[in-house]
Amino acid sequence: MDHYDIAIIGAGLAGSLTAIALARKGHRVALVGPKPAIADGRTTALMDQSIGYLKTLGLWDETEPLTAPLVAIRILDGTRRLFRAPPVNFRASEVGLAAFGYNIPNSPFLDILEKHETALSTLERTTAAAARFDLGGAEVLIGLGDGRTISADLVIGADGRRSTVREAAGIDVKTWSYPQAAIVLNFGHELPHQDVSTEFHTESGPFTQVPLPGNRSSLVWVKPHDAEETLKLAPDALSRTIEDRMQSILGKITTEGTPQSFPLSGLAARRFGKGRILLVGEAAHAFPPIGAQGLNLSLRDIMTLVDLIGRPAGSRLPADTGDRFDGRRRADIVSRTASVDLLNRSLLSNFLPVQALRAAGLHLLASAGPLRGLLMREGIHPGSALQVFKEGLREQIGRKSA
C-alpha cells in the first residue's frame, strides 16, 4: 500500500493548486480525482495577492498570455428603483497598483496546472475517484474506485460542494439558496474594454463584464430562475440582448460558444478542518460569483495550509493539523461569506430602507476617496485596511505626542 504525506481529493483548480504548492515544498503528494467531464467555460478574476502566489509557484509566465489585467472596476446602478446610486469607479492606480488582478479562463488554466503536475517527481496523479475513508488509525486509509488503497498523514478535501471528505470527517454544513442562476459566457465586442470591468447592479443581481485579451470579455449574468429561457435564445438574439443590457458601451456584441448556467446557492462548513482532515475551496465555502472572491478565498486557504504544514521534517505530520487550520481560516471565511451574502440580498430586497442604505453606501464610496482606498486594499489584501488604519492612528498619536 502506497503511503503519502498528503492526499488531496478533488483535481479542480483548488485541488491542483494545493497539490503543486505542497509538492514544491518537498512533500510526497497524491492528487486524487477524475478529470472534469465538461470543460469549464467560466473565467476567474484573481487579485494581486493571488497573482503573487502564482508567481511563487512558477505558474505565472505560462498563464499571463491567457489573461487580461483589471485596471479599473466600474459599478453602475442598473435598477429602476426610487433610491438609485451614482456610478462608482475603483482604479488600481489609487492604491499604487498597475492592476487589481487578472481575469483567467478556467479551462486552459487547468491545462497548465496539469502540465506542471506531471513535472513534479513528488506528486502522483490518479484519475480514480476516492470511494471510502478510514479515519480511525494513525494514518488515513483511502479506498480508490480502481480497487487500490492508499494511506496519508493528512487528507485535504478539495472535492467541491458535495465533498465526500467532509462527509467522512462528520463535518456538518450550512447551505442556503437564492432565487437566481448565473449565466456565464464569453463574447467579442466592437469597442475596446480598456481593461475595465463593468458591473451593472440590477434588481435580479449583478450583470458583470470582465476583460479578456483583445476585444473580448467574459460575462457573469445573475438573474432569476428563468435562465433556461435565455439559454434557448439564438446567438444573434442573445448577442443583442447582452448589448442592450450593457447599454452598448462596448458597441456590437457577438457571443462565443455555448453559454452555461449555474444555480446560485451558498455553503459554509461548520468546521474547516478536523484532526487529519482539512477542507479548501468549495468543500469549505461557496457563495455567488460577486466581487471576485471565490478562488481568491480558496488560494488563501492554500497559502495558510502550506504555511501551517511547512516543509517535510522526517516525521509524521501532526494529527491536529486540521484543528489548527480551522482556527486560522475561520475569521476570513466567515467574514467574506457574510459580506457576499449581504451584498447579493441587498440587490434582491424590495424593502425601501435596505435600498436606501445600499444607495447611500455607494454615494459615500463615490465621493470619499480615502474610504474607497481602504475598501480596495481590503479586497486585494484582506486585513490590509485594518493595518493601514492602525498605522494612520499611530502616526497621528505620534504627532500629538511630539
Side-chain angles (χ1 to χ4, degrees), residues 108-306:
F109 184 32
L110 190 57
D111 291 340
I112 290 172
L113 298 184
E114 289 179 356
K115 176 183 172 182
H116 280 258
E117 290 162 13
T118 60
L120 290 165
S121 61
T122 59
L123 195 163
E124 181 178 322
R125 174 77 169 91
T126 176
T127 57
R132 61 192 181 278
F133 301 89
D134 182 352
L135 309 178
E139 59 189 18
V140 181
L141 302 181
I142 306 162
L144 303 180
D146 60 8
R148 290 185 297 143
T149 298
I150 63 173
S151 64
D153 292 347
L154 300 177
V155 173
I156 296 172
D159 50 344
R161 296 177 184 232
R162 298 178 180 178
S163 171
T164 57
V165 175
R166 188 182 64 226
E167 182 180 354
I171 298 175
D172 292 333
V173 64
K174 177 185 177 183
T175 61
W176 60 95
S177 61
Y178 302 94
Q180 299 162 292
I183 295 173
V184 297
L185 56 87
N186 296 336
F187 63 92
H189 40 81
E190 183 181 19
L191 302 177
H193 48 55
Q194 298 180 326
D195 299 327
V196 176
S197 174
T198 302
E199 184 169 307
F200 292 87
H201 285 186
T202 76
E203 292 89 346
S204 60
F207 178 97
T208 307
Q209 164 265 333
V210 190
L212 286 170
N215 280 14
R216 298 175 62 245
S217 293
S218 61
L219 176 70
V220 180
W221 182 1
V222 176
K223 58 183 308 188
H225 281 309
D226 62 349
E228 292 302 318
E229 296 302 316
T230 303
L231 296 179
K232 293 176 183 176
L233 292 174
D236 287 348
L238 180 58
S239 298
R240 181 65 193 181
T241 300
I242 292 170
E243 182 181 336
D244 291 343
R245 284 271 181 169
M246 294 198 65
Q247 302 171 16
S248 297
I249 62 173
L250 293 177
K252 181 178 175 59
I253 298 294
T254 305
T255 60
E256 302 174 356
T258 303
Q260 296 175 310
S261 175
F262 304 88
L264 292 196
S265 61
L267 174 152
R270 302 291 184 182
R271 295 178 59 87
F272 309 116
K274 180 181 177 183
R276 296 188 179 278
I277 301 296
L278 300 83
L279 303 177
V280 301
E282 292 196 341
H285 46 75
F287 40 70
I290 297 173
Q293 294 300 311
L295 189 58
N296 289 285
L297 187 61
S298 300
L299 272 163
R300 294 201 294 278
D301 295 340
I302 297 166
M303 293 179 213
T304 300
L305 72 84
V306 170

Side-chain angles (χ1 to χ4, degrees), residues 323-368:
D323 300 285
R324 291 185 289 130
F325 178 74
D326 175 67
R328 287 205 191 183
R329 291 301 298 139
R330 182 157 296 277
D332 185 19
I333 293 173
V334 170
S335 63
R336 294 289 151 164
T337 302
S339 298
V340 172
D341 179 63
L342 180 62
L343 177 57
N344 191 41
R345 292 186 190 278
S346 74
L347 288 172
L348 294 174
S349 177
N350 290 319
F351 190 44
L352 284 178
V354 172
Q355 295 176 16
L357 282 171
R358 178 185 158 275
L362 289 173
H363 269 285
L364 186 60
L365 285 174
S367 59

Side-chain angles (χ1 to χ4, degrees), residues 87-105:
V88 182
N89 293 288
F90 300 93
R91 296 197 170 276
S93 58
E94 292 184 73
V95 289
L97 294 174
F100 288 120
Y102 292 78
N103 192 33
I104 306 172

